[in-house]
Amino acid sequence: MNKSRIIPPEELKKQKEIADEVLSYWKQKGKKPLAHIITYGCQQNENDSERIKGMLDKMGYGFTEENEEADLILFNTCAVREGAEMRVLGNVGALKHLKAKKPDLLIGICGCMMQQEHMSKQVKSKYKHVSIVFGTHALYRLPEIMLEALSDNKRVFSTENSIGAIAEDIPVYREGDIKAWVSVMYGCNNFCTYCIVPYVRGRERSRRPEKIIEEIKELAQKGVKEISLLGQNVNSYGNDADFNMDFADLLREVNKIDGIRRIRFMTSHPKDMTDRLIDAMAECDKVMPQLHLPFQAGSSRVLEKMNRRYTKEQYLSLVDKVRAKLGNISMTSDIIVGFPGETEEDFKETLDVLEKVRFDSVYSFIYSKRSGTPAATMPDQIPEDVQHERFDRLLELQNKISREINEDYFEKTYELLVEGKSKTDENVMTGRTPEGKIVNFNDDGKCRAGDFVNIKITKVGTWSLTGELVL
Ligand code: 5AD
Ligand code: SF4
């Protein structure tokens, strides 16, 4: 038995039966309903949306990108930063007229933002045209929520809080057939002082390894070539469970699966990155030479206030250790600029880490106050103009470094997993190197998505590379 609570199979069976009822509801109406799902935020949310779509598919729904033709418009939201929340509320507000024209249209909001009580209350009182609201913990109950909303024509709010449980065997609807994200664990125990995630996604809970392996084997049979293992902090995989397996062991198991050619994973917390994991990365031929290792801030004083539980020096020596064992792998990071109390000297430490580590790219964020987190009430909140000025300096330095690293790719040949046609040009194909770099190339119709091809880099940019086929 896993110590993490698992949603009982009978509960999931009940949801499947309810999904069939929704299917019959639409059959009776003689209509194929359409849903527009709009996803904000991280890969975990993308993965949740794939499960939402999987359940809706079983309820008879097809999918559209057009609000006008949708019978259900559902926003799967992110609460990590205020900007994303404002955008959701703006977009939801703009749908009022459509709902007035089309009273049968269901508008819903789900995900992290709705797991915060003040937000769901605000939606309840101010956004009356929204009829479905559910948080991250109620995701598996979507069939029940849909049936209630459709048959009783009333507003459904399912935002109960819980520390979380695992719902296995929820159908998944995946867009791509070359790459897939697979969650290995949910939730977070770390309580970094700026972060809302532990409050809205509950405590860490690891999926059972056999369930993960089964899912990946099925994906491999369907032709998926690349797997990204997903969790807020994959390095603590198994800590909450009574099975005797850590993330290093899991990587070794996934590495054995026939048909899977590439494995990536995120996110790693520096405090939990073990030698065992670094060794496993070195041993597993399918694990790609890439590591996402957020450092968040360069100043040890700020790191302490963030409750990150490592110092700048510890982070830098971890990077040295990783590079000593794995060579010059591609590294990426998350950074927060303008955390409460961050001085110019503190910020310079962040720039210093960028210069010392030389990340391939970084995801940088301006600190956003999240109500309910300890940092929201810390003194010395940084004025916006200072935050922006630091943010711009950080981007400028990082763009220079990214570009310099990319220069090294010039005229070298890489194996590319072809992902398909470029979004911006029909005649151009796109794929990724083992390091995760995007390469665009002209193939004269020779390649298909899922192919592995050799590409020589002919042009470099800050964010992408251009190449030609080596036959
Ligand atoms: N403000 C800004 N960035 C944040 N992140 C998390 N919480 C906040 C916040 N309140 C960033 C962190 C994390 C990434 C997913 O989002 O850098 O690693
Ligand atoms: Fe948030 Fe920190 Fe957990 Fe990442 S490790 S999800 S930043 S609390």
Side-chain angles (χ1 to χ4, degrees), residues 152-170:
D152 299 350
N153 202 14
K154 66 173 189 206
R155 303 176 81 197
V156 188
F157 281 73
S158 286
T159 54
E160 65 276 4
N161 211 343
S162 89
I163 56 164
I166 293 185
E168 285 291 357
D169 302 322
I170 290 184

Side-chain angles (χ1 to χ4, degrees), residues 80-81 194-195 294 296 334-336 365-368 370:
V80 168
R81 282 170 292 274
Y194 50 80
C195 188
Q296 310 295 1
D334 291 350
I335 301 166
I336 296 178
F365 309 102
I366 290 180
Y367 168 72
S368 171
R370 306 288 56 217

Side-chain angles (χ1 to χ4, degrees), residues 89-118:
L89 292 179
N91 291 341
V92 170
L95 290 176
K96 212 169 162 183
H97 300 296
L98 191 60
K99 173 77 180 178
K101 264 202 305 199
K102 247 178 102 171
D104 286 344
L105 166 68
L106 290 180
I107 298 173
I109 317 182
C110 65
C112 292
M113 202 172 147
M114 291 303 105
Q115 200 64 58
Q116 305 169 95
E117 205 182 335
H118 70 278

